[in-house]
Amino acid sequence: MPSFEKSLTEVAVNKHLAIPSEFLQHLPDSEGGRTITFPVHDVSGKVWKNFGYYIRKGGGYPKPVFQNDWRRYVQDKRLKPGDKIIFRVERNEDNGAPIYTIAAQKKIELFGSFCWSSEF
């Protein structure tokens, strides 16, 4: 199943999350500069109905970013720079339709070392 993992930056937490360009092929088709929205399921079962992405122009290559419900997700999960997300595309067993999922991992310090907790 296609997936990517990202450590969050200040920009990702406060504005938008850069999506790896090679992951574009697994997202709903872009419609030329418009924000494309689609539902994303988190591991707690909540559905974020207006997760969106658009492709920023410039630099000679596509620069896709998550926005819309991305910000709400970050706020709901109280994510901070250094935390991680894992984004996956699964398939509906009945009809093969894509199911987009996201999970967060909080960066925590434990006895002087850093580790990540699973979504809460």
Side-chain angles (χ1 to χ4, degrees):
M1 94 185 69
S3 66
F4 71 88
E5 180 177 312
K6 294 275 293 217
S7 290
L8 302 182
T9 64
E10 197 74 41
V11 170
V13 169
N14 294 313
K15 192 172 182 183
H16 55 243
L17 176 73
I19 304 165
S21 295
E22 61 274 7
F23 198 79
L24 270 177
Q25 65 183 320
H26 304 293
L27 296 175
D29 287 337
S30 172
E31 297 177 13
R34 269 191 49 209
T35 297
I36 305 303
T37 58
F38 55 96
V40 174
H41 303 251
D42 71 22
V43 297
S44 71
K46 184 171 183 174
V47 178
W48 302 86
K49 294 182 181 179
N50 291 307
F51 233 80
Y53 84 95
Y54 78 102
I55 300 173
R56 297 181 298 153
K57 297 180 177 157
Y61 61 93
K63 298 177 183 175
V65 294
F66 282 141
Q67 58 178 22
N68 293 9
D69 270 356
W70 164 252
R71 289 285 306 124
R72 290 178 193 88
Y73 177 78
V74 167
Q75 292 167 352
D76 186 71
K77 302 300 179 184
R78 296 188 173 108
L79 299 177
K80 297 179 181 171
D83 294 341
K84 292 182 182 180
I85 62 99
I86 301 167
F87 191 88
R88 284 195 301 242
V89 182
E90 300 175 11
R91 293 284 169 190
N92 181 306
E93 291 180 14
D94 295 332
N95 61 17
I99 301 170
Y100 302 98
T101 64
I102 192 168
Q105 295 181 323
K106 298 283 284 177
K107 184 177 181 180
I108 57 174
E109 185 174 0
L110 190 60
F111 304 115
S113 297
F114 289 102
C115 59
W116 284 265
S117 68
S118 295
E119 187 160 322
F120 28 93

